[in-house]
Amino acid sequence: MTSTSAAPAVAGPLSRLGWAIRDGWAVAGREFSQLRHHPGELVGAMIVPVIMVLLFGYVFGSAINVPGGGSYREYLMPGLFAMTAITGVIASALLISKDIAEGVMDRFRSMPMARSAIPFGRTLADLATGIITTAMMAGVGLLVGWRAHNGLAATLAGFGLILLVRFAVSWIGVTVGLSISPETANALIPILFPISALSNSFVPTDGMPTWLRFIADWNPISALVAASRQLFGNPTITPAEGSWPLQHPLTATLAWSIAILVVFIPLATWRFQRTTR
């Protein structure tokens, strides 16, 4: 990775922001170049969505009926998109903790670059990975019968919402990864499935016990899944007396995403500065 020029001694907010963005792109470029040297990581990221679609769509789908009718695979795909989106937490945590353990951060510290560039570059690279895996999953979904029925604009809005959530949660991953070891980050991977399952991703929440349904309805993943189903025109179940996030899923998802970014962008940057000080 090439070193960027140092920031001017006296710089305004816009100048500092531009400096951070340029350095962030350079860091993201480093992440992309690593994929060329380790293509197995990208291949693995592309194979997993295929397995998920086939496993959930055919194995689980053969035993589940969608209330009100409709294809279970169409009902399922937004849930799988959401499940893929939240993997940005672990991916970012694992890679940045690995860089710290291998001394890469010490090298960055010796370079004249914006401190916020490292978290920004890492989340930008994860967003690119998210685009690839989401596109791969959508392609497989089309092959097994999933369709988006509300036109191009709504479809793009649905995918944009999914990627916004991926970008937002990757900042949580960076913050966590700056405080843990790669081994601990690996150990966190199994918790992703229970978090995804405790939502409306695979089955409606109205059949759950009241206390569990409350948790599932307020799970941010449930709002993302419901919003995606609405935008794609896929089967969705919204109880008349459902929780606020399921009654207003698009608003709720945007609110969750903005709140995460507002909290974790400065928190990740501050934590990175302390880690590399």
mmCIF file of all heavy atoms in Angstrom, residues 14-54:
data_model
loop_
_atom_site.group_PDB
_atom_site.id
_atom_site.type_symbol
_atom_site.label_atom_id
_atom_site.label_comp_id
_atom_site.label_asym_id
_atom_site.label_seq_id
_atom_site.Cartn_x
_atom_site.Cartn_y
_atom_site.Cartn_z
ATOM 1 N N LEU A 14 -13.410 20.390 5.965
ATOM 2 C CA LEU A 14 -13.557 19.775 4.658
ATOM 3 C C LEU A 14 -12.247 19.197 4.161
ATOM 4 O O LEU A 14 -12.205 18.124 3.558
ATOM 5 C CB LEU A 14 -14.109 20.793 3.645
ATOM 6 C CG LEU A 14 -15.570 21.214 3.843
ATOM 7 C CD1 LEU A 14 -15.971 22.242 2.796
ATOM 8 C CD2 LEU A 14 -16.489 19.996 3.763
ATOM 9 N N SER A 15 -11.158 19.923 4.416
ATOM 10 C CA SER A 15 -9.848 19.428 4.004
ATOM 11 C C SER A 15 -9.496 18.137 4.738
ATOM 12 O O SER A 15 -8.997 17.180 4.140
ATOM 13 C CB SER A 15 -8.788 20.498 4.272
ATOM 14 O OG SER A 15 -7.507 20.015 3.955
ATOM 15 N N ARG A 16 -9.771 18.098 6.055
ATOM 16 C CA ARG A 16 -9.482 16.895 6.828
ATOM 17 C C ARG A 16 -10.356 15.729 6.370
ATOM 18 O O ARG A 16 -9.905 14.585 6.307
ATOM 19 C CB ARG A 16 -9.698 17.161 8.325
ATOM 20 C CG ARG A 16 -8.635 18.073 8.933
ATOM 21 C CD ARG A 16 -8.684 18.006 10.452
ATOM 22 N NE ARG A 16 -9.963 18.474 10.971
ATOM 23 C CZ ARG A 16 -10.211 19.739 11.301
ATOM 24 N NH1 ARG A 16 -9.279 20.674 11.152
ATOM 25 N NH2 ARG A 16 -11.395 20.091 11.781
ATOM 26 N N LEU A 17 -11.627 16.032 6.024
ATOM 27 C CA LEU A 17 -12.522 14.988 5.549
ATOM 28 C C LEU A 17 -12.012 14.418 4.222
ATOM 29 O O LEU A 17 -11.988 13.192 4.032
ATOM 30 C CB LEU A 17 -13.936 15.547 5.374
ATOM 31 C CG LEU A 17 -14.984 14.580 4.800
ATOM 32 C CD1 LEU A 17 -15.153 13.380 5.728
ATOM 33 C CD2 LEU A 17 -16.314 15.292 4.578
ATOM 34 N N GLY A 18 -11.589 15.309 3.315
ATOM 35 C CA GLY A 18 -11.061 14.845 2.032
ATOM 36 C C GLY A 18 -9.818 13.997 2.209
ATOM 37 O O GLY A 18 -9.624 12.985 1.524
ATOM 38 N N TRP A 19 -8.969 14.411 3.148
ATOM 39 C CA TRP A 19 -7.744 13.657 3.445
ATOM 40 C C TRP A 19 -8.099 12.262 3.955
ATOM 41 O O TRP A 19 -7.525 11.256 3.516
ATOM 42 C CB TRP A 19 -6.942 14.439 4.487
ATOM 43 C CG TRP A 19 -5.647 13.823 4.900
ATOM 44 C CD1 TRP A 19 -4.675 13.316 4.092
ATOM 45 C CD2 TRP A 19 -5.163 13.668 6.239
ATOM 46 N NE1 TRP A 19 -3.616 12.854 4.833
ATOM 47 C CE2 TRP A 19 -3.884 13.060 6.153
ATOM 48 C CE3 TRP A 19 -5.672 14.002 7.494
ATOM 49 C CZ2 TRP A 19 -3.124 12.765 7.287
ATOM 50 C CZ3 TRP A 19 -4.914 13.710 8.617
ATOM 51 C CH2 TRP A 19 -3.654 13.091 8.506
ATOM 52 N N ALA A 20 -9.071 12.183 4.859
ATOM 53 C CA ALA A 20 -9.481 10.889 5.423
ATOM 54 C C ALA A 20 -10.077 9.994 4.342
ATOM 55 O O ALA A 20 -9.820 8.786 4.310
ATOM 56 C CB ALA A 20 -10.481 11.104 6.551
ATOM 57 N N ILE A 21 -10.886 10.586 3.433
ATOM 58 C CA ILE A 21 -11.509 9.781 2.371
ATOM 59 C C ILE A 21 -10.453 9.231 1.418
ATOM 60 O O ILE A 21 -10.491 8.053 1.036
ATOM 61 C CB ILE A 21 -12.556 10.622 1.610
ATOM 62 C CG1 ILE A 21 -13.766 10.899 2.524
ATOM 63 C CG2 ILE A 21 -13.004 9.906 0.341
ATOM 64 C CD1 ILE A 21 -14.785 11.842 1.925
ATOM 65 N N ARG A 22 -9.474 10.066 1.036
ATOM 66 C CA ARG A 22 -8.405 9.590 0.136
ATOM 67 C C ARG A 22 -7.628 8.449 0.774
ATOM 68 O O ARG A 22 -7.342 7.431 0.139
ATOM 69 C CB ARG A 22 -7.468 10.744 -0.222
ATOM 70 C CG ARG A 22 -8.043 11.748 -1.193
ATOM 71 C CD ARG A 22 -6.949 12.657 -1.750
ATOM 72 N NE ARG A 22 -6.268 13.393 -0.689
ATOM 73 C CZ ARG A 22 -6.674 14.574 -0.232
ATOM 74 N NH1 ARG A 22 -7.775 15.137 -0.723
ATOM 75 N NH2 ARG A 22 -5.998 15.198 0.729
ATOM 76 N N ASP A 23 -7.276 8.623 2.038
ATOM 77 C CA ASP A 23 -6.547 7.559 2.727
ATOM 78 C C ASP A 23 -7.412 6.312 2.913
ATOM 79 O O ASP A 23 -6.916 5.185 2.850
ATOM 80 C CB ASP A 23 -6.054 8.063 4.095
ATOM 81 C CG ASP A 23 -4.889 9.029 3.961
ATOM 82 O OD1 ASP A 23 -4.338 9.132 2.854
ATOM 83 O OD2 ASP A 23 -4.546 9.687 4.961
ATOM 84 N N GLY A 24 -8.710 6.534 3.147
ATOM 85 C CA GLY A 24 -9.618 5.397 3.296
ATOM 86 C C GLY A 24 -9.696 4.567 2.024
ATOM 87 O O GLY A 24 -9.707 3.332 2.065
ATOM 88 N N TRP A 25 -9.727 5.249 0.864
ATOM 89 C CA TRP A 25 -9.727 4.529 -0.407
ATOM 90 C C TRP A 25 -8.438 3.733 -0.573
ATOM 91 O O TRP A 25 -8.440 2.613 -1.097
ATOM 92 C CB TRP A 25 -9.875 5.507 -1.573
ATOM 93 C CG TRP A 25 -11.292 5.885 -1.859
ATOM 94 C CD1 TRP A 25 -11.892 7.080 -1.618
ATOM 95 C CD2 TRP A 25 -12.302 5.056 -2.444
ATOM 96 N NE1 TRP A 25 -13.211 7.050 -1.992
ATOM 97 C CE2 TRP A 25 -13.490 5.826 -2.516
ATOM 98 C CE3 TRP A 25 -12.328 3.735 -2.906
ATOM 99 C CZ2 TRP A 25 -14.674 5.314 -3.039
ATOM 100 C CZ3 TRP A 25 -13.518 3.226 -3.437
ATOM 101 C CH2 TRP A 25 -14.671 4.019 -3.493
ATOM 102 N N ALA A 26 -7.329 4.299 -0.122
ATOM 103 C CA ALA A 26 -6.057 3.582 -0.212
ATOM 104 C C ALA A 26 -6.075 2.328 0.650
ATOM 105 O O ALA A 26 -5.582 1.266 0.240
ATOM 106 C CB ALA A 26 -4.907 4.504 0.214
ATOM 107 N N VAL A 27 -6.639 2.438 1.839
ATOM 108 C CA VAL A 27 -6.736 1.270 2.728
ATOM 109 C C VAL A 27 -7.662 0.223 2.114
ATOM 110 O O VAL A 27 -7.371 -0.983 2.146
ATOM 111 C CB VAL A 27 -7.245 1.694 4.123
ATOM 112 C CG1 VAL A 27 -7.521 0.469 4.985
ATOM 113 C CG2 VAL A 27 -6.219 2.591 4.808
ATOM 114 N N ALA A 28 -8.783 0.668 1.545
ATOM 115 C CA ALA A 28 -9.694 -0.276 0.894
ATOM 116 C C ALA A 28 -8.995 -0.974 -0.264
ATOM 117 O O ALA A 28 -9.187 -2.174 -0.489
ATOM 118 C CB ALA A 28 -10.943 0.456 0.402
ATOM 119 N N GLY A 29 -8.157 -0.223 -0.998
ATOM 120 C CA GLY A 29 -7.394 -0.834 -2.093
ATOM 121 C C GLY A 29 -6.493 -1.938 -1.594
ATOM 122 O O GLY A 29 -6.306 -2.964 -2.261
ATOM 123 N N ARG A 30 -5.909 -1.736 -0.413
ATOM 124 C CA ARG A 30 -5.073 -2.795 0.174
ATOM 125 C C ARG A 30 -5.899 -4.041 0.439
ATOM 126 O O ARG A 30 -5.471 -5.163 0.176
ATOM 127 C CB ARG A 30 -4.453 -2.297 1.483
ATOM 128 C CG ARG A 30 -3.827 -3.413 2.319
ATOM 129 C CD ARG A 30 -3.426 -2.920 3.700
ATOM 130 N NE ARG A 30 -2.994 -4.040 4.523
ATOM 131 C CZ ARG A 30 -3.771 -4.703 5.383
ATOM 132 N NH1 ARG A 30 -5.027 -4.338 5.539
ATOM 133 N NH2 ARG A 30 -3.302 -5.714 6.084
ATOM 134 N N GLU A 31 -7.124 -3.852 0.965
ATOM 135 C CA GLU A 31 -7.986 -4.994 1.243
ATOM 136 C C GLU A 31 -8.327 -5.741 -0.044
ATOM 137 O O GLU A 31 -8.334 -6.977 -0.078
ATOM 138 C CB GLU A 31 -9.273 -4.524 1.929
ATOM 139 C CG GLU A 31 -9.072 -3.742 3.210
ATOM 140 C CD GLU A 31 -8.670 -4.638 4.372
ATOM 141 O OE1 GLU A 31 -8.725 -5.867 4.225
ATOM 142 O OE2 GLU A 31 -8.294 -4.089 5.427
ATOM 143 N N PHE A 32 -8.601 -4.987 -1.125
ATOM 144 C CA PHE A 32 -8.935 -5.635 -2.396
ATOM 145 C C PHE A 32 -7.742 -6.403 -2.958
ATOM 146 O O PHE A 32 -7.901 -7.488 -3.515
ATOM 147 C CB PHE A 32 -9.402 -4.594 -3.418
ATOM 148 C CG PHE A 32 -10.624 -3.825 -2.984
ATOM 149 C CD1 PHE A 32 -10.778 -2.491 -3.330
ATOM 150 C CD2 PHE A 32 -11.621 -4.434 -2.237
ATOM 151 C CE1 PHE A 32 -11.896 -1.780 -2.935
ATOM 152 C CE2 PHE A 32 -12.746 -3.731 -1.826
ATOM 153 C CZ PHE A 32 -12.884 -2.411 -2.186
ATOM 154 N N SER A 33 -6.549 -5.825 -2.807
ATOM 155 C CA SER A 33 -5.362 -6.510 -3.330
ATOM 156 C C SER A 33 -5.094 -7.800 -2.568
ATOM 157 O O SER A 33 -4.609 -8.786 -3.128
ATOM 158 C CB SER A 33 -4.135 -5.590 -3.262
ATOM 159 O OG SER A 33 -3.760 -5.358 -1.919
ATOM 160 N N GLN A 34 -5.438 -7.819 -1.288
ATOM 161 C CA GLN A 34 -5.262 -9.051 -0.515
ATOM 162 C C GLN A 34 -6.172 -10.157 -1.023
ATOM 163 O O GLN A 34 -5.816 -11.335 -0.973
ATOM 164 C CB GLN A 34 -5.541 -8.790 0.967
ATOM 165 C CG GLN A 34 -4.408 -8.056 1.676
ATOM 166 C CD GLN A 34 -4.552 -8.115 3.182
ATOM 167 O OE1 GLN A 34 -5.658 -8.152 3.712
ATOM 168 N NE2 GLN A 34 -3.440 -8.126 3.874
ATOM 169 N N LEU A 35 -7.359 -9.783 -1.516
ATOM 170 C CA LEU A 35 -8.263 -10.792 -2.067
ATOM 171 C C LEU A 35 -7.648 -11.440 -3.305
ATOM 172 O O LEU A 35 -7.879 -12.619 -3.573
ATOM 173 C CB LEU A 35 -9.613 -10.153 -2.421
ATOM 174 C CG LEU A 35 -10.526 -9.804 -1.244
ATOM 175 C CD1 LEU A 35 -11.801 -9.137 -1.744
ATOM 176 C CD2 LEU A 35 -10.871 -11.045 -0.438
ATOM 177 N N ARG A 36 -6.864 -10.672 -4.074
ATOM 178 C CA ARG A 36 -6.214 -11.259 -5.244
ATOM 179 C C ARG A 36 -5.185 -12.304 -4.833
ATOM 180 O O ARG A 36 -4.992 -13.304 -5.513
ATOM 181 C CB ARG A 36 -5.538 -10.164 -6.086
ATOM 182 C CG ARG A 36 -6.500 -9.233 -6.783
ATOM 183 C CD ARG A 36 -5.827 -8.509 -7.931
ATOM 184 N NE ARG A 36 -4.686 -7.716 -7.488
ATOM 185 C CZ ARG A 36 -4.757 -6.451 -7.125
ATOM 186 N NH1 ARG A 36 -5.932 -5.831 -7.142
ATOM 187 N NH2 ARG A 36 -3.690 -5.784 -6.749
ATOM 188 N N HIS A 37 -4.511 -12.056 -3.703
ATOM 189 C CA HIS A 37 -3.509 -13.002 -3.229
ATOM 190 C C HIS A 37 -4.133 -14.167 -2.464
ATOM 191 O O HIS A 37 -3.512 -15.219 -2.328
ATOM 192 C CB HIS A 37 -2.503 -12.279 -2.332
ATOM 193 C CG HIS A 37 -1.721 -11.222 -3.062
ATOM 194 N ND1 HIS A 37 -0.886 -11.509 -4.117
ATOM 195 C CD2 HIS A 37 -1.662 -9.866 -2.896
ATOM 196 C CE1 HIS A 37 -0.335 -10.394 -4.567
ATOM 197 N NE2 HIS A 37 -0.796 -9.374 -3.843
ATOM 198 N N HIS A 38 -5.340 -13.964 -1.925
ATOM 199 C CA HIS A 38 -6.027 -15.022 -1.181
ATOM 200 C C HIS A 38 -7.441 -15.179 -1.744
ATOM 201 O O HIS A 38 -8.426 -14.871 -1.066
ATOM 202 C CB HIS A 38 -6.078 -14.683 0.311
ATOM 203 C CG HIS A 38 -4.732 -14.426 0.915
ATOM 204 N ND1 HIS A 38 -3.854 -15.437 1.239
ATOM 205 C CD2 HIS A 38 -4.103 -13.260 1.238
ATOM 206 C CE1 HIS A 38 -2.746 -14.910 1.746
ATOM 207 N NE2 HIS A 38 -2.870 -13.599 1.751
ATOM 208 N N PRO A 39 -7.574 -15.645 -2.984
ATOM 209 C CA PRO A 39 -8.900 -15.724 -3.615
ATOM 210 C C PRO A 39 -9.837 -16.686 -2.912
ATOM 211 O O PRO A 39 -11.054 -16.606 -3.066
ATOM 212 C CB PRO A 39 -8.587 -16.217 -5.037
ATOM 213 C CG PRO A 39 -7.256 -16.907 -4.920
ATOM 214 C CD PRO A 39 -6.501 -16.160 -3.860
ATOM 215 N N GLY A 40 -9.276 -17.599 -2.111
ATOM 216 C CA GLY A 40 -10.131 -18.552 -1.395
ATOM 217 C C GLY A 40 -11.114 -17.860 -0.475
ATOM 218 O O GLY A 40 -12.230 -18.349 -0.263
ATOM 219 N N GLU A 41 -10.717 -16.701 0.097
ATOM 220 C CA GLU A 41 -11.615 -15.975 0.990
ATOM 221 C C GLU A 41 -12.847 -15.496 0.231
ATOM 222 O O GLU A 41 -13.974 -15.591 0.728
ATOM 223 C CB GLU A 41 -10.885 -14.786 1.619
ATOM 224 C CG GLU A 41 -9.737 -15.192 2.544
ATOM 225 C CD GLU A 41 -9.050 -13.982 3.150
ATOM 226 O OE1 GLU A 41 -9.581 -12.856 2.975
ATOM 227 O OE2 GLU A 41 -7.984 -14.145 3.779
ATOM 228 N N LEU A 42 -12.630 -14.985 -0.988
ATOM 229 C CA LEU A 42 -13.751 -14.497 -1.787
ATOM 230 C C LEU A 42 -14.610 -15.656 -2.284
ATOM 231 O O LEU A 42 -15.841 -15.574 -2.293
ATOM 232 C CB LEU A 42 -13.237 -13.680 -2.978
ATOM 233 C CG LEU A 42 -14.289 -12.977 -3.833
ATOM 234 C CD1 LEU A 42 -15.144 -12.053 -2.986
ATOM 235 C CD2 LEU A 42 -13.646 -12.216 -4.975
ATOM 236 N N VAL A 43 -13.950 -16.757 -2.679
ATOM 237 C CA VAL A 43 -14.701 -17.931 -3.136
ATOM 238 C C VAL A 43 -15.593 -18.451 -2.010
ATOM 239 O O VAL A 43 -16.765 -18.775 -2.222
ATOM 240 C CB VAL A 43 -13.740 -19.036 -3.627
ATOM 241 C CG1 VAL A 43 -14.499 -20.327 -3.894
ATOM 242 C CG2 VAL A 43 -13.008 -18.585 -4.893
ATOM 243 N N GLY A 44 -15.026 -18.501 -0.789
ATOM 244 C CA GLY A 44 -15.818 -18.950 0.355
ATOM 245 C C GLY A 44 -17.002 -18.039 0.603
ATOM 246 O O GLY A 44 -18.125 -18.506 0.886
ATOM 247 N N ALA A 45 -16.775 -16.721 0.483
ATOM 248 C CA ALA A 45 -17.863 -15.766 0.695
ATOM 249 C C ALA A 45 -18.958 -15.907 -0.356
ATOM 250 O O ALA A 45 -20.118 -15.576 -0.107
ATOM 251 C CB ALA A 45 -17.312 -14.339 0.674
ATOM 252 N N MET A 46 -18.603 -16.432 -1.544
ATOM 253 C CA MET A 46 -19.588 -16.598 -2.608
ATOM 254 C C MET A 46 -20.308 -17.946 -2.514
ATOM 255 O O MET A 46 -21.462 -18.073 -2.922
ATOM 256 C CB MET A 46 -18.909 -16.454 -3.970
ATOM 257 C CG MET A 46 -18.348 -15.061 -4.225
ATOM 258 S SD MET A 46 -17.347 -14.966 -5.722
ATOM 259 C CE MET A 46 -18.562 -15.217 -6.985
ATOM 260 N N ILE A 47 -19.630 -18.956 -1.976
ATOM 261 C CA ILE A 47 -20.238 -20.285 -1.892
ATOM 262 C C ILE A 47 -21.280 -20.344 -0.778
ATOM 263 O O ILE A 47 -22.340 -20.964 -0.935
ATOM 264 C CB ILE A 47 -19.151 -21.357 -1.672
ATOM 265 C CG1 ILE A 47 -18.327 -21.526 -2.949
ATOM 266 C CG2 ILE A 47 -19.766 -22.691 -1.265
ATOM 267 C CD1 ILE A 47 -17.175 -22.490 -2.817
ATOM 268 N N VAL A 48 -20.997 -19.689 0.342
ATOM 269 C CA VAL A 48 -21.905 -19.746 1.490
ATOM 270 C C VAL A 48 -23.323 -19.298 1.121
ATOM 271 O O VAL A 48 -24.303 -19.975 1.481
ATOM 272 C CB VAL A 48 -21.341 -18.930 2.668
ATOM 273 C CG1 VAL A 48 -22.389 -18.779 3.766
ATOM 274 C CG2 VAL A 48 -20.096 -19.612 3.231
ATOM 275 N N PRO A 49 -23.518 -18.161 0.397
ATOM 276 C CA PRO A 49 -24.890 -17.784 0.031
ATOM 277 C C PRO A 49 -25.603 -18.853 -0.793
ATOM 278 O O PRO A 49 -26.810 -19.066 -0.615
ATOM 279 C CB PRO A 49 -24.685 -16.501 -0.797
ATOM 280 C CG PRO A 49 -23.406 -15.936 -0.308
ATOM 281 C CD PRO A 49 -22.540 -17.120 0.005
ATOM 282 N N VAL A 50 -24.870 -19.519 -1.678
ATOM 283 C CA VAL A 50 -25.489 -20.572 -2.490
ATOM 284 C C VAL A 50 -26.005 -21.695 -1.592
ATOM 285 O O VAL A 50 -27.142 -22.165 -1.724
ATOM 286 C CB VAL A 50 -24.473 -21.130 -3.503
ATOM 287 C CG1 VAL A 50 -25.081 -22.288 -4.284
ATOM 288 C CG2 VAL A 50 -24.001 -20.037 -4.455
ATOM 289 N N ILE A 51 -25.165 -22.115 -0.644
ATOM 290 C CA ILE A 51 -25.555 -23.182 0.273
ATOM 291 C C ILE A 51 -26.764 -22.767 1.102
ATOM 292 O O ILE A 51 -27.699 -23.552 1.323
ATOM 293 C CB ILE A 51 -24.368 -23.554 1.185
ATOM 294 C CG1 ILE A 51 -23.229 -24.147 0.348
ATOM 295 C CG2 ILE A 51 -24.798 -24.519 2.277
ATOM 296 C CD1 ILE A 51 -21.954 -24.397 1.116
ATOM 297 N N MET A 52 -26.760 -21.510 1.563
ATOM 298 C CA MET A 52 -27.869 -21.037 2.397
ATOM 299 C C MET A 52 -29.185 -21.061 1.639
ATOM 300 O O MET A 52 -30.220 -21.492 2.165
ATOM 301 C CB MET A 52 -27.565 -19.627 2.899
ATOM 302 C CG MET A 52 -26.471 -19.570 3.956
ATOM 303 S SD MET A 52 -25.935 -17.883 4.312
ATOM 304 C CE MET A 52 -27.430 -17.154 4.927
ATOM 305 N N VAL A 53 -29.172 -20.601 0.382
ATOM 306 C CA VAL A 53 -30.409 -20.591 -0.408
ATOM 307 C C VAL A 53 -30.927 -22.010 -0.608
ATOM 308 O O VAL A 53 -32.121 -22.294 -0.423
ATOM 309 C CB VAL A 53 -30.176 -19.906 -1.766
ATOM 310 C CG1 VAL A 53 -31.408 -20.067 -2.655
ATOM 311 C CG2 VAL A 53 -29.867 -18.424 -1.575
ATOM 312 N N LEU A 54 -30.040 -22.922 -0.971
ATOM 313 C CA LEU A 54 -30.461 -24.295 -1.231
ATOM 314 C C LEU A 54 -30.930 -24.985 0.050
ATOM 315 O O LEU A 54 -31.948 -25.686 0.055
ATOM 316 C CB LEU A 54 -29.309 -25.083 -1.877
ATOM 317 C CG LEU A 54 -28.848 -24.568 -3.240
ATOM 318 C CD1 LEU A 54 -27.673 -25.399 -3.753
ATOM 319 C CD2 LEU A 54 -29.993 -24.603 -4.247
#
